[in-house]
Amino acid sequence: MKNNKDKKRIVFVTGTRADFSKLKSLMRKVEENENFELFVFVTGMHMSNYFGATFREVEKEGFKNIYKFINHDRYYSMDKALSTTIDGFSKFVAEIKPHLIIVHGDRIEPLAAASVGSLNNILVAHIEGGEISGTIDDSLRHATSKLAHIHLVNDQKAKKNLIQLGEDEKAIFIIGSPDLDILQDKTINIKQVKSYYEIPFKNYAIAMFHPVVTEFHSMMNQAKDFATSLIDSGKNYIVIYPNNDLGFECIIESYKAFQDNQRFRIFPSIRFEYFIALLKHADFIIGNSSCILKEAVFLGIQGINVGSRQTKRTGIDSVLIKNVPSDKDAILQAIKEIKPYKTTRNISPNTAHRSDELFSQLLQQQVFFTINTQKTFMELP
């Protein structure tokens, strides 16, 4: 067994229930390898009781080195949370002295961690860069990619987008989306999930609606239209809180209309494995989460994509997806047009390699650690 001093220290940064679901299978691969020592920096929405205190989900996984950091108070401000995270993570990095920092996605926590890593000459790997959604998330995601030295992307299209941003092709590795690894695992029994969350519905849809920062001034009206259309549809819904981007209070305020309505069950957060079990048995999913265009499509579940948040996202043209404006009448009409539709997606080793296995192979080959921290803008031919 190697002495901890001889191991390469790898830090994963997680700020939300969503990114943790994508990272934890990769974390396990690191912790299982005697050549590496895993550290998990837990911050953001995880640390908020208001959003379900999901740091407990990280702790339940049993990782050894978990560090918790509160980066905002109840009155969340994205810019202040960004600066606070930079300050907190900088102090953490000075203490741990990691060899590699791994971040995911398009929120302020990965941008903060990538900034700290880049400015301290520490390798940064960014998961799911090169994606395009169409909102301010793109700016955060691309900024993180420009600070990162290594890119672990979903597909060839994302790789092409990063090359267009001037990133070095030799530092881009296609591993797919890590959260789809869980979809290939045995799902928790739906009866167990319904019992745990006290969900009485036989038939139901899932609703997830997030704020669009650049549409802040219309978010209250959008949220009211979304909530009203769900009520007027007469269907049963499992509603999950939005993320804490600017405008989230408008959405949560609109959800007060569901109080005392027996057709609604509202949750700040649901464990990802339990969420997948619920999704697999849902009649459809509605809102503006990327889950509608990824996990739901992968599972053959119909979705109604509302508004502009995912305008450019891969999967938006799927036959399973109906795209509608954030307007009450349009949303309600789309719900009425949903017809029973279920398909089983057969996953075979030839069509879906596990992201965690591909990630593990790259780690064992020491590929990451040969990449230069001195980045060069690669011009297109």
Side-chain angles (χ1 to χ4, degrees):
M1 176 141 335
K2 284 198 172 186
N3 187 296
N4 281 0
K5 292 182 179 180
D6 299 325
K7 296 181 178 182
K8 283 190 167 63
R9 295 175 294 280
I10 300 179
V11 175
F12 282 78
V13 178
T14 176
T16 71
R17 66 199 178 204
D19 70 43
F20 181 62
S21 72
K22 297 171 186 285
L23 293 173
K24 66 180 178 180
S25 65
L26 309 187
M27 293 177 187
R28 288 197 193 100
K29 291 296 182 184
V30 171
E31 190 149 84
E32 291 167 2
N33 193 313
E34 66 173 8
N35 294 312
F36 306 109
E37 186 175 12
L38 172 70
F39 294 84
V40 186
F41 187 84
V42 182
T43 186
M45 290 177 68
H46 282 306
M47 302 305 298
S48 170
N49 287 325
Y50 191 72
F51 289 96
T54 52
F55 68 85
R56 298 190 185 98
E57 301 304 322
V58 184
E59 292 177 332
K60 285 177 183 177
E61 295 297 323
F63 298 122
K64 296 175 185 175
N65 301 313
I66 295 176
Y67 291 78
K68 293 174 288 188
F69 177 73
I70 297 174
N71 70 349
H72 68 282
D73 57 22
R74 170 65 182 84
Y75 300 99
Y76 182 77
S77 170
M78 294 175 72
D79 53 349
K80 290 181 181 178
L82 175 64
S83 63
T84 302
T85 308
I86 289 174
D87 182 54
F89 191 66
S90 176
K91 292 171 182 173
F92 171 79
V93 162
E95 178 70 23
I96 299 302
K97 295 181 171 57
H99 298 88
L100 175 65
I101 297 166
I102 298 180
V103 300
H104 167 272
D106 52 22
R107 298 186 58 75
I108 64 100
E109 289 83 14
L111 178 58
S115 299
V116 171
S118 182
L119 293 172
N120 285 279
N121 198 38
I122 301 168
L123 280 170
V124 177
H126 184 206
I127 296 172
E128 292 196 338
E131 300 287 307
I132 299 177
S133 53
T135 63
I136 196 172
D137 293 350
D138 281 352
S139 299
L140 295 173
R141 190 184 307 110
H142 299 333
T144 303
S145 290
K146 292 308 298 179
L147 290 163
H149 312 97
I150 303 161
H151 308 283
L152 305 174
V153 302
N154 278 351
D155 51 33
Q156 193 66 41
K157 183 176 181 181
K159 179 177 180 178
K160 180 181 177 182
N161 291 339
L162 285 172
I163 292 171
Q164 186 176 336
L165 285 172
E167 295 302 294
D168 187 348
E169 184 175 359
K170 294 191 290 295
I172 306 172
F173 306 92
I174 298 174
I175 66 167
S177 183
D179 58 331
L180 299 185
D181 291 345
I182 295 176
L183 305 190
Q184 301 180 54
D185 294 336
K186 185 177 180 180
T187 306
I188 295 172
N189 184 280
I190 186 62
K191 290 183 180 179
Q192 177 185 347
V193 177
K194 286 185 176 181
S195 174
Y196 184 84
Y197 285 106
E198 299 180 352
I199 296 170
F201 313 134
K202 179 180 179 182
N203 297 99
Y204 59 86
I206 295 174
M208 300 174 69
F209 193 65
H210 298 295
V212 179
V213 173
T214 49
E215 298 173 7
F216 170 72
H217 296 294
S218 67
M219 280 314 301
M220 180 60 79
N221 288 334
Q222 290 187 39
K224 285 181 178 178
D225 278 2
F226 183 72
T228 302
S229 64
L230 299 189
I231 294 170
D232 291 351
S233 73
K235 295 183 180 294
N236 300 321
Y237 291 94
I238 296 169
V239 181
I240 302 173
Y241 268 20
N243 64 34
N244 60 350
D245 285 349
L246 181 67
F248 79 90
E249 293 101 334
C250 300
I251 297 172
I252 293 176
E253 178 68 24
S254 75
Y255 287 173
K256 290 182 179 179
F258 303 149
Q259 289 179 354
D260 302 320
N261 190 323
Q262 298 302 309
R263 293 188 291 101
F264 290 84
R265 291 286 285 123
I266 307 172
F267 302 96
S269 180
I270 290 179
R271 292 185 67 181
F272 189 69
E273 291 87 346
Y274 285 44
F275 170 76
I276 291 301
L278 289 168
L279 179 60
K280 282 186 174 181
H281 292 83
D283 292 334
F284 62 94
I285 180 170
I286 184 170
N288 60 7
S289 168
S290 62
C291 173
I292 295 171
L293 307 177
K294 186 177 289 184
E295 288 90 345
V297 169
F298 192 83
L299 293 170
I301 304 299
Q302 294 179 100
I304 299 173
N305 177 53
V306 178
S308 65
R309 187 169 183 263
Q310 306 295 344
T311 303
K312 301 292 185 179
R313 180 79 72 172
T314 299
I316 200 164
D317 56 353
S318 168
V319 295
L320 292 169
I321 303 301
K322 189 170 187 65
N323 300 294
V324 299
S326 191
D327 168 80
K328 180 180 66 176
D329 293 335
I331 297 169
L332 187 57
Q333 184 60 35
I335 296 172
K336 290 179 178 178
E337 291 174 358
I338 285 280
K339 292 181 172 56
Y341 179 95
K342 286 288 176 73
T343 184
T344 301
R345 184 79 177 266
N346 291 318
I347 306 167
S348 71
N350 294 325
T351 58
H353 298 286
R354 288 185 64 98
S355 296
D356 55 2
E357 293 293 346
L358 296 174
F359 170 77
S360 180
Q361 290 171 22
L362 291 169
L363 271 184
Q364 292 178 56
Q365 295 165 10
Q366 301 286 305
V367 173
F368 296 159
F369 304 101
T370 64
I371 292 174
N372 199 332
T373 54
Q374 177 59 62
K375 293 187 66 171
T376 302
F377 188 93
M378 308 298 288
E379 295 186 23
L380 293 173

